[in-house]
Amino acid sequence: LFGYVNDKDVFGQFYLKHLAKRLILGRSNSVDAEQIVIGKLKQVCGNPFVSKFTGMIKDLMLARSLQNAFVQFVHAEKLSAAAAAAA
């Protein structure tokens, strides 16, 4: 399908906008599926074309891991505060 698109830059901007919306709102079915599509676009158009897409995916994964670490930290702090209060 991508081979039939005349203006690749317009498609890139469209895909970028909608990818951002899917990632922010959590509407993407799978990050792995998004990575597969980005990988196929990379094969056709090259790394510079998809660098923003891959950056968005990496930022999302980093944000998720930081959020999980923060939740674990807060949970551990609550447990230690409760233990200190009980003692």
Side-chain angles (χ1 to χ4, degrees):
L1 180 65
F2 186 72
Y4 296 108
V5 175
N6 289 332
D7 196 355
K8 310 283 192 237
D9 292 330
V10 172
F11 175 81
Q13 291 299 320
F14 177 82
Y15 187 79
L16 181 68
K17 177 181 174 184
H18 289 279
L19 175 65
K21 188 180 284 187
R22 285 193 304 272
L23 294 177
I24 290 172
L25 299 177
R27 291 184 181 169
S28 178
N29 291 335
S30 166
V31 173
D32 293 333
E34 297 289 356
Q35 288 177 327
I36 290 170
V37 171
I38 292 169
K40 290 182 181 186
L41 287 172
K42 184 177 181 179
Q43 289 175 350
V44 174
C45 297
N47 195 36
F49 183 79
V50 298
S51 64
K52 290 182 183 178
F53 307 147
T54 55
M56 290 170 64
I57 297 289
K58 286 179 185 178
D59 289 345
L60 175 73
M61 301 306 286
L62 178 63
R64 284 183 181 173
S65 68
L66 289 173
Q67 186 175 17
N68 289 337
F70 179 73
V71 167
Q72 290 174 354
F73 171 76
V74 168
H75 182 67
E77 288 295 313
K78 284 182 181 178
L79 290 178
S80 65

